[in-house]
Amino acid sequence: MSDVANPGTAGGDPLIGTKVGNYKLVRQLGAGGMGVVYAAEHELMGKKAAVKLLLPELSANQEIVGRFFNEAKAATRIQHPGIVDVYDFGYHASGHAYIVMEFLQGEALTSLLKKGLPFARVIDIGWQLSSALGAAHKRGIVHRDVKPDNIFVVPDPATPTGDRVKVLDFGIAKLSSDDNTSMKTRTGTVMGTPVYMSPEQCRGSGEIDHRSDIYAMGCIMYEMACGQPPFVRNGFGELITAHIIEEPDALSTKNPSVPPAYEAIVMKCLEKDPAARFQHTSEIEAALSSVNPDSANVTRIPGLGRAGVSTGRSNRSNRSLPNNTSRAAEAYQVTKTTVAGEVDELAAPAGGSKKKIGIAVGAVVVVAGVAIALLGGGKKEAPAAPAAAAPAPAKAPELETVKLEVTSTPSGASVVRAEDGAFLGRTPFHVSMAKSAKDASFVIRHEGYEDQRVALPLVEDGKSDVTLTAVAKPAAAPEPAAAEKASTKSKSETKAKSGGGGKKKRGWGDLVDF
């Protein structure tokens, strides 16, 4: 390990004071097995940034560098306030691959979960996460590693709650473009973090789309409401199998005070079949908007720490972090990477040696194969059923939705949400929203026409056909009467013929040669 990855070694850090592009490395924020994160400052503007450096030996691995740079390309393509800004990426003179990104001051969702979240904040974080991921999905980008470690909450007085959710680490994101920069998923390769992976990811399926992120969102919203994710198991293999074949306990069994409407949203996200989940994050946004955060006194439940896998020990090594650095540096994902066949580094008990828990891709696929066999994929005889099987937990009620349609004359008008001006689409506009006693209010806008507000009740399917009114144009000055025109023309002709009583007056056409 180089001195760069171990800031406590003699001789200090040789990269402090060096430049990455126009940014000067000021101090180290954190370090780990993959690389280092530095606080940096633009030499001319004084703007702060965070610089993420891979170790030189890893910077020589094109596959790892490809995933590393994929984070920069994906984040730059999305351009959404809920996605961390990336300013630059490339290679440092020392051989490190680097990414320059915005400097975040806040707290990772992992830390907030340990304290427990007020229900109003749970809804707001879920809504903002839906919005940010929805922006990525519209750009053809699937994150594939949505988890609390990759969600940072920063102060932002411009938002109603004073918080802004930032999604980080698109390192293993799948880009749907067909160019050479696309990160293609190979069948049988498992990528992601097991606690929050969708069943199709756990199987190593090559068909991963945006609905996999929606499943991960369901895991996070489940954990925010009851302090633990849907599945807590003793090992990674058991955890992967659970995602594939087991139904999660109803959220209300973990926290009975959670409103049924919120539970229904979460359980729909956690459907095994992608076709049974919400198909777009905009549907989750609409459903969460209909849940009243004050409708119930929801119990705040602190998280279980590093939930999901019970190992009897912590899986974060603090030895690589200097005493004067902030734990917030973990949000930049330098203490680990999640790649095919590798899982987080775990710290052994005091006095023991550090052990890396590695899961080879083949081993993971074997676990998935066993799970598929349990589902009836093989011809072997099924094991005998237990004498007294426990009854299956009651499934949360299906979320009732209504279908709304807005058309306009002329068509192609913008449809925006009345309360916050968020753009939703263009007419003819179709949307499914959670059933509610409230109305859905939209503003219909079209250039050259007056805005028109539409309110549709959310108690049943509805349609509104809007005829827009053209903006009135100012009246043009009246044309002179025909007789007046003729009179003016006659006078001009008479004057020209008579010569005006003297020499012919020369006009600009006679003076200037065009």
Side-chain angles (χ1 to χ4, degrees):
M1 191 72 69
S2 69
D3 287 344
V4 177
N6 293 282
T9 58
D13 189 334
L15 295 183
I16 296 294
T18 63
K19 290 203 308 180
V20 172
N22 290 318
Y23 289 87
K24 182 178 180 181
L25 303 182
V26 177
R27 70 181 188 280
Q28 193 178 121
L29 294 174
M34 298 297 295
V36 195
V37 167
Y38 292 88
E41 203 170 85
H42 195 283
E43 286 200 308
L44 300 177
M45 298 186 294
K47 185 177 182 179
K48 288 185 177 181
V51 177
K52 201 169 169 181
L53 292 176
L54 275 183
L55 295 178
E57 55 266 33
L58 297 178
S59 297
N61 185 315
Q62 291 304 308
E63 184 176 0
I64 292 177
V65 171
R67 276 194 293 272
F68 187 63
F69 286 164
N70 196 51
E71 175 179 0
K73 295 171 186 176
T76 302
R77 182 184 294 186
I78 299 167
Q79 296 183 334
H80 184 276
I83 305 295
V84 65
D85 280 340
V86 173
Y87 306 143
D88 194 11
F89 67 95
Y91 286 93
H92 188 268
S94 61
H96 298 73
Y98 70 82
I99 296 176
V100 182
M101 61 184 71
E102 69 175 305
F103 187 85
L104 298 177
Q105 291 180 303
E107 200 166 3
L109 181 57
T110 308
S111 300
L112 295 174
L113 286 170
K114 294 175 184 177
K115 308 169 189 175
L117 292 163
F119 188 60
R121 207 172 187 195
V122 167
I123 292 176
D124 181 61
I125 290 174
W127 193 94
Q128 288 197 50
L129 180 58
S130 297
S131 177
L133 289 175
H137 297 165
K138 288 176 182 177
R139 292 284 185 177
I141 298 170
V142 183
H143 191 290
R144 299 196 298 169
D145 197 19
V146 179
K147 58 187 176 184
D149 281 346
N150 288 338
I151 301 167
F152 211 58
V153 182
V154 301
D156 186 347
T159 65
T161 59
D163 285 335
R164 169 76 66 188
V165 167
K166 289 280 187 178
V167 181
L168 305 95
D169 200 11
F170 281 81
I172 64 171
K174 178 183 177 184
L175 307 183
S176 66
S177 61
D178 293 327
D179 56 31
N180 294 329
T181 63
S182 299
M183 297 297 297
K184 303 298 183 184
T185 304
R186 295 186 297 273
T187 302
T189 300
V190 176
M191 303 186 79
T193 302
V195 179
Y196 307 95
M197 285 200 312
S198 65
E200 55 269 30
Q201 281 181 289
C202 291
R203 288 193 297 267
S205 169
E207 299 299 324
I208 304 296
D209 62 21
H210 64 281
R211 293 172 295 184
S212 186
D213 287 349
I214 288 176
Y215 183 92
M217 276 191 57
C219 293
I220 292 171
M221 292 194 293
Y222 190 107
E223 187 173 359
M224 286 195 295
C226 71
Q228 65 182 74
F231 300 109
V232 179
R233 297 293 182 270
N234 290 324
F236 292 104
E238 294 178 17
L239 190 56
I240 287 173
T241 304
H243 280 298
I244 296 173
I245 66 173
E246 295 184 26
E247 290 296 329
D249 292 337
L251 181 55
S252 54
T253 64
K254 307 292 184 183
N255 187 352
S257 65
V258 170
Y262 181 82
E263 180 180 29
I265 296 169
V266 173
M267 302 309 286
K268 187 175 178 67
C269 289
L270 293 175
E271 290 285 354
K272 303 293 185 193
D273 181 4
R277 299 173 202 154
F278 289 104
Q279 298 301 290
H280 301 286
T281 57
S282 58
E283 297 172 9
I284 303 175
E285 291 177 52
L288 287 173
S289 297
S290 69
V291 179
N292 182 0
D294 302 321
S295 62
N297 185 19
V298 179
T299 304
R300 182 193 301 197
I301 301 180
L304 299 177
R306 187 65 178 185
V309 179
S310 175
T311 62
R313 57 190 179 183
S314 168
N315 73 336
R316 285 272 190 204
S317 174
N318 295 335
R319 289 178 291 175
S320 62
L321 290 175
N323 293 332
N324 62 348
T325 58
S326 168
R327 296 294 294 177
E330 293 180 6
Y332 293 102
Q333 293 294 295
V334 291
T335 57
K336 63 182 177 354
T337 189
T338 309
V339 297
E342 185 172 87
V343 183
D344 299 354
E345 192 174 80
L346 306 186
S353 61
K354 190 162 60 175
K355 178 182 179 184
K356 178 166 285 190
I357 304 299
I359 298 182
V361 175
V364 176
V365 175
V366 168
V367 172
V370 171
I372 293 170
L374 291 175
L375 287 172
K379 294 183 179 180
K380 295 181 180 180
E381 293 184 4
K395 191 174 181 180
E398 288 290 330
L399 180 69
E400 288 190 79
T401 61
V402 296
K403 295 180 180 179
L404 305 180
E405 179 182 356
V406 179
T407 59
S408 70
T409 303
S411 62
S414 298
V415 180
V416 300
R417 192 161 44 217
E419 53 264 34
D420 59 6
F423 175 78
L424 302 176
R426 296 188 182 278
T427 57
F429 173 72
H430 301 82
V431 67
S432 294
M433 300 184 69
K435 204 168 186 179
S436 169
K438 299 180 180 178
D439 288 348
S441 295
F442 310 108
V443 175
I444 316 303
R445 291 176 177 162
H446 198 299
E447 186 176 358
Y449 294 85
E450 296 178 0
D451 287 359
Q452 187 160 328
R453 191 181 181 109
V454 171
L456 289 171
L458 292 172
V459 293
E460 60 183 358
D461 294 350
K463 178 179 179 180
S464 179
D465 189 6
V466 178
T467 300
L468 298 174
T469 303
V471 175
K473 294 182 180 179
E479 290 289 331
E484 185 179 345
K485 283 185 179 181
S487 173
T488 302
K489 183 178 179 182
S490 177
K491 289 178 181 178
S492 299
E493 289 176 348
T494 302
K495 187 175 182 179
K497 288 178 180 178
S498 64
K503 291 184 179 180
K504 180 181 178 183
K505 189 175 181 180
R506 301 178 70 189
W508 283 106
D510 300 316
L511 299 175
V512 182
D513 183 12
F514 289 103

